[in-house]
Amino acid sequence: LVVIDTMGWPAASRAHVEPKFHAPNLDVNVWFHRAEPEEPWLLSDHESPLPEAGLMATRGRVWSRRGRLLASGGGQLMCLPTTPA
């Protein structure tokens, strides 16, 4: 849940050298496919297919080291300037 909830913004914002925005999450949804509670390593695969007009949708997947899909989901973020315009 935490990985799906928090990795959408870093995945989109890392393309910008000096991000001038932050994006609180408005909602999150997660589907848990299987549990591997002893897995010490997770791969987060996130994308933002449509950021527009101050809103950003995200989709993400979390994989185990063995390549098993553990969870998938997404969220809606509201992009706000970090400094007043």
Side-chain angles (χ1 to χ4, degrees), residues 5 11-12 18 21 23 31 39-40 43 51-52 62 65 72 75 81 83 85:
D5 187 33
E18 294 183 37
F21 293 90
W31 297 277
E39 176 65 69
L43 171 68
E52 187 174 316
V62 179
R65 182 187 309 247
S72 60
T83 58

Side-chain angles (χ1 to χ4, degrees), residues 24-62:
N25 200 335
L26 299 175
D27 71 354
V28 65
N29 58 72
V30 178
W31 297 277
F32 298 99
H33 307 296
R34 62 181 48 89
E36 292 192 12
E38 296 165 10
E39 176 65 69
W41 179 94
L42 299 173
L43 171 68
S44 170
D45 175 25
H46 272 75
E47 63 185 344
S48 175
L50 182 63
E52 187 174 316
L55 295 174
M56 184 172 78
T58 65
R59 291 188 296 220
R61 290 157 299 280
V62 179

